[in-house]
């Protein structure tokens, strides 16, 4: 990347979320990867200190009540910092950058981290206006890009896919073996140090299953609950953990799962752990990771589970098919079909060792394809190709 090319990342708030976590990892690795970057945010949040600790220049510029004044300040910020690329993470920030960069040579780029399903009328108008006026747009998967291209009739030459990157060093904290070859070594590690079973008071012969993700409209935990009812009817000795918090805006999703498990006498076999800071260790303690999505755009939780060399079962939503190599590196089941999920899970139980060997291959696959280093490399190539 040429030294004359400087990127400003535009964030809304600095609260915890998938987008903020990704950008935090980009900033932590920017200097090592020779990415000349600075950041700008409009709202403070829980990750503010974390971002500042990356040593990448970071500026706070709230919009205030006078949007015109904000645009002039934003334009001044771009010029003073010799910015050549303004990379927004939300349509509203791309809109601000678009007007602030009028009659400049600054490229305005927008990454779409989600779909437009939950946009209100104002958000939809902003998206519809800006999506065709950016220099280029980035999507986190090909299936997501295809959705936007078709819906908004976009010029395909200006739409690019750059997969999310995961900091596997962070995922591997305290774990020395990062290459997975023999299933026996993985299983032996689990038997020696299954902290989660100890925490929950479970016996060693219990099959420990789990999923990770907050209870929001992106995910579909209720299908998993229905599957667990069927699994209990098969008299399988299992325990399932839901890692993820109840969301203030969608409390009914969490409550529905609790109610279903209570009504079907599943609570002895299920734990709702809430938000956890030890997800990497939890993943390694699982015998199998099960996931159900409504409209994920990438599936970081699925990739992280695969990276931990545990068997993964996920529904056949387009992006899950995409990131698992058309089901080569994970087992797919029919979306919202708990009967099919039971079918594929029972096949897993019949040959756990073979599934574990495939999980080891999957770990090496995702670690090569979806690393934060690859993500930054692809970003740099993209920036250099901007016209």
């Amino acid at each position: 990347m040429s030294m004359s090319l400087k990127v400003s990342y535009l964030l809304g708030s600095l609260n915890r979320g998938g987008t903020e976590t990704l950008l935090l990892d980009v900033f932590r690795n920017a200097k090592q990867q020779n990415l000349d970057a600075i950041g700008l945010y409009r709202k403070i949040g829980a990750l503010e200190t974390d971002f500042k600790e990356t040593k990448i220049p970071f500026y706070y510029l709230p919009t205030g009540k006078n949007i015109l004044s904000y645009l002039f300040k934003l334009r001044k910020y771009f010029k003073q910092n010799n910015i050549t690329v303004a990379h927004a993470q939300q349509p509203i920030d791309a809109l601000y950058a678009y007007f602030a960069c009028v009659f400049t040579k600054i490229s305005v780029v927008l990454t779409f981290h989600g779909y437009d399903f939950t946009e209100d009328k104002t958000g939809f108008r902003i998206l519809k206006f800006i999506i065709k006026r950016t220099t280029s747009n980035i999507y986190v998967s090909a299936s997501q890009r295809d959705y936007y291209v078709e819906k908004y009739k976009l010029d395909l030459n200006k739409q690019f896919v750059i997969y999310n990157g995961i900091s596997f060093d962070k995922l591997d904290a305290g774990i020395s073996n990062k290459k997975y070859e023999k299933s026996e070594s993985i299983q032996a590690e689990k038997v020696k140090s299954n902290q989660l079973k100890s925490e929950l008071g479970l016996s060693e012969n219990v099959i420990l299953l789990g999923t990770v993700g907050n209870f929001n409209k992106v995910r579909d935990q209720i299908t998993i609950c229905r599957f667990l009812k069927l699994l209990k009817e098969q008299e399988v000795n299992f325990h399932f953990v839901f890692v993820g918090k109840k969301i203030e805006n969608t409390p009914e999703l969490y409550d529905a799962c609790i109610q279903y498990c209570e009504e079907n006498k599943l609570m002895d076999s299920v734990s709702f752990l809430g938000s956890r800071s030890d997800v990497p260790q939890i993943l390694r303690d699982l015998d199998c990771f099960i996931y159900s999505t409504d409209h994920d755009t990438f599936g970081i939780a699925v990739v992280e589970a695969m990276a931990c060399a545990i068997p993964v079962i996920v529904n056949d939503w387009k992006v899950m098919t995409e990131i698992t190599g058309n089901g080569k590196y994970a087992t797919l089941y029919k979306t919202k079909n708990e009967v099919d999920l039971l079918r594929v899970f029972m096949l897993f139980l019949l040959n756990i060792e073979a599934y574990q060997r495939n999980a080891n291959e999957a770990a090496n696959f995702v670690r090569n394809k979806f690393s934060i280093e690859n993500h930054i490399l692809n970003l740099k190539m993209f920036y250099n190709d901007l016209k």
Side-chain angles (χ1 to χ4, degrees):
M1 189 175 193
S2 65
M3 292 303 294
S4 60
L5 204 159
K6 191 172 184 179
V7 183
S8 174
Y9 290 88
L10 309 178
L11 291 91
S13 72
L14 299 184
N15 288 318
R16 296 186 188 277
T19 300
E20 291 77 14
T21 299
L22 171 65
L23 266 294
L24 186 57
D25 286 337
V26 167
F27 277 30
R28 283 170 173 162
N29 290 271
K31 289 186 177 179
Q32 185 179 354
Q33 301 298 320
N34 296 316
L35 175 63
D36 192 2
I38 63 174
L40 184 81
Y41 62 107
R42 291 181 284 109
K43 300 176 183 178
I44 61 174
L47 293 178
E48 187 173 22
T49 300
D50 298 75
F51 271 100
K52 290 182 177 179
E53 287 177 351
T54 65
K55 306 302 182 185
I56 296 295
F58 221 67
Y59 299 93
Y60 174 52
L61 185 61
T63 51
K65 294 181 180 180
N66 189 332
I67 294 300
L68 190 59
S69 174
Y70 173 76
L71 294 178
F72 278 113
K73 290 176 183 177
L74 185 60
R75 184 182 182 90
K76 183 178 180 182
Y77 155 85
F78 287 144
K79 288 188 173 183
Q80 286 182 339
N81 289 282
N82 299 313
I83 300 302
T84 50
V85 179
H87 190 163
Q89 309 303 309
Q90 297 178 34
I92 184 63
D93 288 302
L95 181 72
Y96 291 150
Y98 171 75
F99 286 116
C101 293
V102 169
F103 302 124
T104 73
K105 294 182 179 180
I106 299 172
S107 298
V108 177
V109 174
L110 171 59
T111 290
F112 286 90
H113 294 278
Y115 287 98
D116 59 356
F117 305 149
T118 58
E119 294 285 356
D120 58 20
K121 288 184 179 179
T122 300
F124 183 74
R125 289 194 190 100
I126 291 171
L127 190 158
K128 191 175 180 181
F129 175 86
I130 197 60
I131 196 169
K132 291 185 178 181
R133 289 172 171 81
T134 54
T135 308
S136 293
N137 297 309
I138 295 175
Y139 306 88
V140 299
S141 64
S143 54
Q144 183 202 26
R145 175 200 61 193
D146 295 345
Y147 167 84
Y148 278 99
V149 167
E150 181 178 355
K151 182 169 182 177
Y152 295 95
K153 310 303 178 188
L154 303 177
D155 179 355
L156 190 58
N157 294 321
K158 293 185 178 182
Q159 320 306 317
F160 297 86
V161 174
I162 298 181
Y163 290 114
N164 283 339
I166 294 170
S167 176
F168 294 118
D169 287 343
K170 187 171 60 177
L171 194 68
D172 292 329
I175 305 295
S176 58
N177 180 22
K178 297 180 187 177
K179 187 168 179 64
Y180 300 96
E181 296 172 351
K182 297 182 180 179
S183 60
E184 293 81 2
S185 63
I186 302 296
Q187 295 295 346
E189 183 181 311
K190 286 182 182 177
V191 171
K192 281 191 297 183
S193 61
N194 197 306
Q195 297 177 16
L196 190 55
K197 282 186 178 180
S198 298
E199 175 188 333
L200 299 175
L202 303 175
S203 61
E204 288 187 6
N205 61 342
V206 171
I207 298 172
L208 189 55
L209 313 172
T211 194
V212 175
N214 293 332
F215 288 77
N216 58 32
K217 291 182 179 179
V218 170
R219 296 177 188 88
D220 176 33
Q221 287 97 335
I222 195 66
T223 292
I224 295 177
C225 292
R226 292 197 295 265
F227 153 73
L228 296 178
K229 177 179 180 289
L230 300 179
L231 189 60
K232 190 167 186 177
E233 291 171 356
Q234 297 293 316
E235 298 184 347
V236 174
N237 185 17
F238 75 91
H239 194 89
F240 195 97
V241 296
F242 288 93
V243 180
K245 64 182 179 180
K246 180 178 180 177
I247 300 298
E248 187 176 335
N249 293 339
T250 56
E252 69 279 3
L253 300 178
Y254 178 88
D255 294 341
C257 290
I258 293 287
Q259 182 178 348
Y260 185 92
C261 290
E262 288 176 344
E263 290 176 349
N264 291 280
K265 298 178 171 58
L266 292 169
M267 293 305 287
D268 289 342
S269 302
V270 176
S271 294
F272 291 83
L273 302 182
S275 183
R276 297 280 295 236
S277 60
D278 58 344
V279 170
Q281 183 59 53
I282 289 175
L283 288 175
R284 285 183 173 79
D285 285 346
L286 299 179
D287 295 302
C288 183
F289 180 88
I290 298 175
Y291 195 82
S292 186
T293 180
D294 264 341
H295 51 267
D296 268 285
T297 51
F298 179 70
I300 288 178
V302 173
V303 171
E304 288 184 342
M306 293 167 68
C308 289
I310 57 173
V312 169
I313 299 176
V314 61
N315 60 310
D316 59 357
W317 172 245
K318 287 181 181 180
V319 73
M320 297 306 170
T321 302
E322 184 179 339
I323 67 174
T324 62
N326 291 316
K328 180 179 179 181
Y329 297 107
T331 302
L332 301 176
Y333 67 92
K334 295 176 183 177
T335 295
K336 294 188 179 299
N337 190 327
E338 63 271 19
V339 175
D340 195 50
L341 174 51
L342 178 67
R343 178 187 67 81
V344 300
F345 182 79
M346 297 307 287
L347 290 174
F348 157 75
L349 284 186
L350 289 173
N351 201 348
I352 291 177
E353 288 188 3
Y355 280 77
Q356 183 60 62
R357 286 193 294 271
N358 188 62
N360 299 337
E361 292 181 16
N364 292 321
F365 164 73
V366 297
R367 284 167 177 272
N368 288 326
K369 189 173 182 66
F370 301 122
S371 69
I372 192 66
E373 292 82 9
N374 267 354
H375 176 76
I376 294 174
L377 176 62
N378 289 327
L379 281 176
K380 289 165 58 179
M381 292 170 61
F382 166 80
Y383 296 144
N384 278 318
D385 287 341
L386 286 173
K387 303 242 178 357

